[in-house]
């Protein structure tokens, strides 16, 4: 079953909601019981739906089953173990048990619990990659194998990483209190970054099966929406992050063709872009400009806006994009950003200038395992009229390719070496940050007196296109 089929997407979304509310009920020290109850609810759904078909309100049906399973577990185990400290007294009495559980499963309570669990997963004692893995596993319903695939790690290694991260959660007396102003502010950058990385993993991650995982992008956007709804989470940085995701998600319908192959940005049918998401991204980017804060999300969203606002690929304002990448390098430099700046330079000044910019990248060895790094070199050599020099780069990129769609795309580029140089460097060759495109003449990017500390650019490159 594909990760983007309806039932799979439903299970992923509802899994996170169930885990969040049940962790609130049972307490974080009973995570294994929480996971057992959720798994039991899904098994029950598969059994019933196989014979009766999916109900009209499947999400509500799943929540009802989870609540009933939780009720059974509470009655069965309340004399053998302790539950959430703040609910223990209410859960111990049969008179208050059902009503208390009903209150915890109310929509507003569930929404708050999801946010609390998300902040709990971003405990500073947990490493960044483990935070992302934990959110994928607990809030997005990914199995250990799926999380391992996202990180290109073995099942055993990922299981150990998740186990260590869960031990940190278990040490807490309860889920993170989102009313704690100081604590909320201190963890907010980590939560924003986790959402950012979740979106990137769906947009163009390391999945061995899929080049694009739209359902994961949607999950990241949903979590960002929860953050925006909270008074302390609705900041310019959050709005900029949400704008970035809207602008990129708007291009998802055009990023792959009917066969599932990647489509380079210049070749995309811009009529397929989601106009509602483009409008929402534009609105959020305008709102993100309030205040003095300038983060990487602001700059990346501005790059995305310039790409998507171009009526045609050839209308792209590459001068502006290079300027924005210069700004991104000043806010938070990295080899990834430098690589993408080099591609933009190549589009503006020609392939030789792009190759020179790549040669000047500091610590470019960190890109050695990323397939679109040699692919970028191949594209620029090919455009410069040196197909013999381009071919080894494409072969290296093929060796590093992570899924069939990437392999097919790179095979096509290697074949192009026998047919002459392309007119342009496919923008899908590389990308360090999100980029989409303008529907009207470019406007000034959000400005600020000076950059403030913010989450760094992606820990691994994310191709555009």
């Amino acid at each position: 079953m594909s990760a983007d089929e309806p039932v799979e997407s439903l299970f992923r979304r509802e899994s996170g909601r169930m885990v969040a509310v049940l962790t609130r009920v049972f307490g974080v020290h009973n995570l294994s019981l929480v996971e057992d109850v959720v798994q039991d609810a899904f098994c029950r759904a598969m059994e019933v739906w196989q014979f009766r078909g999916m109900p009209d309100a499947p999400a509500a049906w799943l929540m009802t089953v989870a609540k009933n399973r939780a009720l059974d577990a509470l009655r069965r185990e309340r004399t053998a173990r302790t539950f959430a400290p703040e609910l223990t007294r209410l859960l111990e009495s049969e008179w208050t048990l059902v009503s208390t559980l009903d209150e915890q499963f109310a929509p507003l309570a569930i929404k708050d619990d999801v946010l609390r669990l998300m902040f709990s997963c971003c405990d500073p004692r947990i490493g960044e990659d483990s935070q992302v893995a934990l959110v994928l596993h607990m809030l997005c319903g990914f199995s250990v194998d799926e999380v391992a695939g996202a990180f290109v790690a073995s099942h055993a290694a990922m299981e150990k990483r998740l186990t260590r991260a869960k031990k940190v959660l278990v040490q807490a007396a309860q889920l993170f209190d989102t009313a704690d102003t100081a604590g909320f502010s201190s963890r907010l950058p980590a939560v924003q970054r986790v959402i950012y990385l979740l979106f990137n993993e769906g947009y163009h991650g390391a999945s061995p099966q899929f080049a694009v995982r739209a359902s994961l992008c949607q999950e990241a956007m949903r979590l960002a929406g929860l953050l925006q709804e909270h008074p302390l989470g609705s900041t310019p940085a959050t709005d900029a992050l949400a704008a970035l995701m809207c602008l990129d998600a708007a291009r998802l319908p055009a990023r792959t063709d009917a066969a599932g192959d990647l489509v380079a940005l210049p070749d995309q049918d811009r009529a397929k872009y989601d106009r509602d998401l483009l409008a929402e991204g534009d609105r959020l980017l305008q709102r993100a400009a309030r205040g003095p804060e300038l983060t990487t999300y602001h700059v990346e969203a501005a790059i995305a806006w310039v790409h998507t606002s171009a009526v045609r690929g050839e209308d792209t304002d590459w001068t502006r994009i290079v300027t924005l990448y210069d700004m991104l390098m000043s806010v938070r430099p990295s080899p990834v950003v430098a690589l993408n700046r080099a591609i933009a330079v190549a589009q503006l000044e020609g392939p030789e200038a792009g190759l020179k910019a790549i040669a000047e990248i500091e610590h470019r060895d960190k890109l050695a395992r990323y397939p679109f790094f040699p692919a970028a070199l191949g594209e620029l050599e090919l455009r410069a009229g040196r197909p013999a020099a381009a071919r080894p780069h494409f072969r290296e990129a093929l060796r590093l390719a992570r899924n069939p769609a990437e392999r097919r795309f790179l095979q096509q580029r290697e074949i192009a070496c026998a047919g002459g140089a392309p007119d342009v460097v496919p923008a899908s060759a590389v990308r360090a940050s999100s980029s989409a495109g303008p529907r009207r003449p470019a406007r000034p990017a959000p400005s600020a007196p000076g950059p403030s500390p913010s989450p760094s650019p992606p820990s691994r490159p994310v191709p555009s296109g």
Side-chain angles (χ1 to χ4, degrees), residues 219-243:
E219 279 299 288
M221 295 171 73
R222 181 179 68 84
L223 295 177
L226 291 177
L227 204 56
Q228 288 178 290
E229 291 175 9
H230 194 282
L232 299 175
S234 183
T235 66
T238 301
D239 286 338
L241 173 59

Side-chain angles (χ1 to χ4, degrees), residues 48 53 56 67-68 77 91 124 218 220 230 233 259 272 306 313 415:
V48 174
D56 293 334
K67 183 168 65 173
N68 291 337
E77 303 195 30
L91 296 175
Q218 291 164 0
H230 194 282
K272 292 182 179 180
V306 174
I415 291 171

Side-chain angles (χ1 to χ4, degrees), residues 169-286:
L169 291 187
V170 169
Q171 292 170 5
Q174 59 186 35
L175 288 176
F176 179 83
D177 182 3
T178 55
D180 177 2
T181 303
F184 194 103
S185 298
S186 67
R187 290 196 189 189
L188 181 57
V191 172
Q192 291 166 336
R193 176 146 175 86
V194 163
I195 293 173
Y196 174 87
L197 293 174
L198 282 176
F199 184 90
N200 281 348
E201 187 57 49
Y203 194 82
H204 206 303
S207 169
Q209 289 87 29
F210 307 102
V212 177
R213 304 185 76 168
S215 62
L216 188 51
C217 293
Q218 291 164 0
E219 279 299 288
M221 295 171 73
R222 181 179 68 84
L223 295 177
L226 291 177
L227 204 56
Q228 288 178 290
E229 291 175 9
H230 194 282
L232 299 175
S234 183
T235 66
T238 301
D239 286 338
L241 173 59
L244 171 61
M245 292 190 292
C246 283
L247 292 168
D248 272 356
R251 294 190 293 120
L252 286 174
R255 284 202 68 226
T256 54
D257 61 20
D261 290 334
L262 291 169
V263 180
L265 183 57
D267 301 324
Q268 289 176 6
D269 180 358
R270 295 181 178 233
K272 292 182 179 180
Y273 288 0
D274 188 317
R275 296 296 154 182
D276 291 338
L277 283 175
L278 290 177
E280 179 65 6
D282 183 84
R283 184 188 72 82
L284 289 169
L285 186 55
Q286 293 281 16

Side-chain angles (χ1 to χ4, degrees), residues 133 143-145 147-148 151 153-163:
S143 68
V144 175
D145 282 333
V147 180
F151 282 84
S154 68
H155 175 98
M158 184 52 62
E159 192 166 43
K160 289 179 181 178
R161 181 184 297 184
L162 288 170
T163 298

Side-chain angles (χ1 to χ4, degrees), residues 302-446:
I303 294 171
W305 186 90
V306 174
H307 276 294
T308 54
S309 60
V311 177
R312 302 172 302 167
E314 55 266 37
D315 297 330
T316 303
D317 188 346
W318 289 105
T319 299
R320 187 175 195 81
I321 289 176
V322 170
T323 299
L324 287 167
Y325 274 122
D326 287 339
M327 186 183 297
L328 196 56
M329 286 291 289
S330 69
V331 175
R332 187 73 65 164
S334 78
V336 172
V337 176
L339 176 61
N340 285 274
R341 179 190 176 279
I343 294 301
V345 167
Q347 295 285 29
L348 181 65
E349 302 177 13
E352 300 295 354
L355 287 167
K356 181 175 182 293
I358 290 178
E360 294 172 350
I361 295 175
E362 294 184 5
H363 308 298
R364 61 182 179 275
D365 56 299
K366 293 182 179 180
L367 303 174
R369 294 180 59 81
Y370 177 54
F372 286 93
F373 175 57
L377 292 170
E379 291 290 353
L380 294 179
E381 292 287 3
L382 186 56
R383 187 180 171 192
R386 296 186 288 268
R391 185 174 287 110
H393 291 304
F394 286 123
R395 287 177 178 167
E396 173 64 9
L398 268 169
R399 186 183 70 82
L400 297 171
R402 302 163 298 185
N403 54 61
E406 286 185 357
R407 282 189 285 275
R408 290 192 297 269
F409 176 82
L410 293 167
Q411 284 167 349
Q412 291 169 2
R413 304 317 301 151
E414 184 182 7
I415 291 171
C417 291
D423 294 332
V424 296
V425 180
S428 61
V430 287
R431 147 179 137 163
S433 59
S434 304
S435 36
R439 293 150 339 257
R440 61 183 76 90
R443 62 162 184 247

